[in-house]
Amino acid sequence: MQIASLAKVGLPNVSTSDTIDSTFAALQRAQLARRGSFTLEARIAQLDQLRDSIKRYESNIIAACAADFRKPAPEVKLTELLPVLQEIRHTKKHLRKWMRPKRVAASVGVLGTKSYVRPEPKGVCLIIAPWNYPLNLALGPLVSALAAGNGAIIKPSEMTPHTSKVIANIVAETFPPDLVSVIEGDAAVAQKLLALPFDHIFFTGSPAVGKVVMEAAATNLSSVTLELGGKSPTIVGPDANIKRAARNIVWGKFANNGQTCIAPDHVFVHVNIADQFNEALKTEIGRVYGKTPEAQKSTADYCRIVNRRHFQRVSNLIDDAKNKGARVFEGGVTDAEENFIAPTLISNVSSDMDISREELFGPILPVIEFDDIDLVIKKINDNPKPLALYIFDKNESFATDIIERTSSGAVGVNLTVVHFLHPGLPFGGVNNSGIGAAHGEYGFRAFSHEKALMEDKHSLMHLLFPPYTAWVRRLIEAAVRILG
């Protein structure tokens, strides 16, 4: 199956208000009707169909990502297809266990009862996906939503229209519309969707928009999972393996052209190894993407900034830094016609520069020397809690000390970004970088209501019920004394 003509794909169809309302109402009715009948087998069957559709559409997905921002085919397979297919595989393997009610032992005060925690679907869920990993971050949460027994509406990003269209086609061919539907459109469509009383909203995007989503969700008291971002710091300690650190940081930073929420945002490098590390970064960039801007522009392995607006934003960050005294010691070359920005390394960074305050979300890596780790930790703690923190050093105590004295959504030691691919780990931020977690059982629980269930077998609790005779009062006083 191939996209008939990528050149003819324009902006996604903007869904009308009536279409949005009718789609939502249909999902609500169907969700009520399937309560109790969306069995383990039925959920696995839906996941199998999704897996088969993704594989059938693989060439379409690769072509769409290339058309949207020249994403290399191997990178599409590694960062768009693999995470979703792995999520499906992992979920299918463990779903029976996740769905099973969990027995809870009775406390002394409720002896004679049986208690369980029973996961149940939240209902109709909204998944708002971003543009940077448009397929992965739309269909990955859908796996968790379906596994938990929910219906869902997906709102893909209008900034990647070709991929958005492929997602819509996959969903339309795979699911009944009253189980999963795609609503395409711009910010106005998202606002219309957010006004509806969804049972859960899963949003991936910036902290600024995350606040808007949370405010809208509060109107209907909808629960939320917010996968946000921030400035993820990287620390290269004095005993780091310099070559290994450079290899991991260059990949984590410049894959997807730096448009990754968990990419290293900036690097603190110990002054004793700074010169060697900077040279290692330059060498690794040259090895992976080419030694000149012309080679980097012509390689098939280097993505592009998603659109002209974001290209201008990232270009302005570089210009602002240079105007305020920063030194660009690698890259800095731009081409507006192609939304191309070369892998860029910047030193002499100061706090008044925009790159010190804004999430970069592009191929810019500020490198900051340090000789006192306490000052680095203070700087990290003085800023909003990041989505990820990366530490490179052979000394385990060096990493442990930093981990214990900072807060972040995740930590990578001698690696970057790879933790996203582990379906057994929770993926999520802290406060400004996110609320809630995704992936594996954590994603299943995010889309589930954990219902408490207690059954009386031979409890004596009725002995404490009114009327409060002298005997009952003595029993209550004894209970408080013994159990309290």
Side-chain angles (χ1 to χ4, degrees):
M1 220 181 249
Q2 295 288 333
I3 296 176
S5 175
L6 287 175
K8 294 181 180 178
V9 179
L11 290 174
N13 295 325
V14 177
S15 300
T16 66
S17 180
D18 289 344
T19 299
I20 292 171
D21 289 339
S22 62
T23 301
F24 179 75
L27 265 79
Q28 280 190 315
R29 290 192 299 269
Q31 190 64 20
L32 288 172
R34 70 171 65 94
R35 271 199 173 275
S37 63
F38 201 8
T39 62
L40 168 68
E41 293 73 21
R43 298 180 196 187
I44 288 178
Q46 295 294 342
L47 294 177
D48 282 337
Q49 290 178 36
L50 177 58
R51 177 202 60 208
D52 293 345
S53 293
I54 291 171
K55 290 183 176 180
R56 190 170 66 251
Y57 266 84
E58 180 176 317
S59 60
N60 302 64
I61 294 164
I62 291 171
C65 288
D68 283 330
F69 52 134
R70 283 185 59 175
K71 189 162 185 172
E75 210 162 280
V76 174
K77 293 180 180 181
L78 179 63
T79 65
E80 302 281 0
L81 300 178
L82 176 61
V84 181
L85 294 173
Q86 181 180 238
E87 189 76 26
I88 293 172
R89 182 186 182 91
H90 180 81
T91 298
K92 287 176 56 185
K93 181 179 179 180
H94 297 283
L95 185 54
R96 182 183 298 275
K97 177 183 176 182
W98 299 344
M99 289 178 62
R100 187 180 299 134
K102 294 175 177 60
R103 181 74 182 270
V104 180
S107 65
V108 176
V110 291
L111 286 175
T113 64
K114 289 178 67 176
S115 298
Y116 299 87
V117 175
R118 183 185 182 91
E120 67 176 19
K122 285 190 173 179
V124 180
C125 304
L126 173 62
I127 298 168
I128 302 179
W131 52 263
N132 58 325
Y133 292 91
L135 184 102
N136 176 353
L137 299 178
L139 299 187
L142 178 63
V143 173
S144 297
L146 291 170
N150 300 283
I153 290 177
I154 301 173
K155 162 63 177 71
S157 174
E158 70 277 12
M159 293 190 193
T160 46
H162 300 89
T163 311
S164 177
K165 185 58 64 180
V166 172
I167 292 169
N169 291 339
I170 289 173
V171 168
E173 292 186 16
T174 306
F175 305 106
D178 60 1
L179 178 61
V180 185
S181 284
V182 169
I183 298 290
E184 296 182 90
D186 56 13
V189 170
Q191 290 173 352
K192 172 62 180 173
L193 286 166
L194 287 169
L196 295 172
F198 282 95
D199 298 295
H200 188 74
I201 298 172
F202 191 107
F203 169 79
T204 306
S206 69
V209 181
K211 293 176 183 179
V212 175
V213 171
M214 193 168 185
E215 184 177 0
T219 302
N220 295 303
L221 294 179
S222 302
S223 60
V224 297
T225 301
L226 303 178
E227 299 292 356
L228 306 178
K231 294 179 70 62
S232 295
T234 301
I235 301 171
V236 181
D239 296 317
N241 181 320
I242 294 173
K243 184 176 181 181
R244 181 178 179 182
R247 183 174 68 244
N248 278 273
I249 292 168
V250 165
W251 175 70
K253 178 62 182 182
F254 298 110
N256 211 48
N257 214 219
Q259 299 165 123
T260 303
C261 60
I262 51 173
D265 182 90
H266 51 286
V267 176
F268 297 101
V269 58
H270 196 274
V271 64
N272 289 352
I273 62 168
D275 290 342
Q276 294 171 269
F277 175 71
N278 289 343
E279 287 303 313
L281 285 177
K282 292 165 65 176
T283 298
E284 184 66 11
I285 288 172
R287 185 185 73 83
V288 175
Y289 299 114
K291 296 181 179 180
T292 65
E294 290 73 22
Q296 293 160 3
K297 194 183 294 188
S298 63
T299 180
D301 294 334
Y302 192 54
C303 192
R304 294 292 186 269
I305 300 294
V306 70
N307 58 29
R308 184 60 57 83
R309 179 169 66 86
H310 281 280
F311 166 85
Q312 196 59 57
R313 179 189 64 81
V314 178
S315 298
N316 290 345
L317 290 173
I318 297 173
D319 291 341
D320 174 79
K322 290 195 296 186
N323 291 338
K324 293 174 180 175
R327 182 174 75 90
V328 175
F329 65 94
E330 177 70 16
V333 176
T334 65
D335 183 345
E337 292 300 316
E338 292 191 16
N339 291 334
F340 168 84
I341 298 178
T344 298
L345 305 175
I346 297 180
S347 62
N348 296 342
V349 176
S350 59
S351 60
D352 64 328
M353 297 173 184
D354 291 342
I355 58 172
S356 298
R357 295 187 294 266
E358 296 183 20
E359 182 179 4
L360 303 182
F361 224 67
I364 308 172
L365 185 63
V367 181
I368 306 159
E369 296 183 14
F370 78 92
D371 59 6
D372 185 346
I373 191 61
D374 291 337
L375 295 179
V376 173
I377 291 173
K378 182 180 185 307
K379 184 171 291 188
I380 292 171
N381 289 335
D382 284 346
N383 287 289
K385 298 173 183 178
L387 185 55
L389 168 66
Y390 303 115
I391 305 165
F392 289 86
D393 202 276
K394 299 173 188 174
N395 186 342
E396 290 186 11
S397 63
F398 178 82
T400 300
D401 178 59
I402 296 168
I403 293 167
E404 290 179 347
R405 295 167 62 193
T406 59
S407 177
S408 59
V411 176
V413 179
N414 295 321
L415 56 79
T416 64
V417 178
V418 180
H419 64 281
F420 182 90
L421 295 175
H422 194 325
L425 286 175
F427 181 81
V430 185
N431 300 126
N432 190 73
S433 56
I435 296 174
H439 295 181
E441 185 175 8
Y442 301 94
F444 173 83
R445 293 175 65 180
F447 284 97
S448 298
H449 167 60
E450 296 182 319
K451 179 188 286 184
L453 175 61
M454 179 182 280
E455 180 183 357
D456 192 330
K457 289 296 186 181
H458 39 78
S459 166
L460 299 178
M461 283 296 296
H462 63 278
L463 297 178
L464 305 180
F465 296 170
Y468 296 122
T469 62
W471 168 246
V472 174
R473 291 181 184 183
R474 284 197 296 273
L475 285 177
I476 292 173
E477 288 177 5
V480 172
R481 186 173 60 254
I482 296 169
L483 303 177

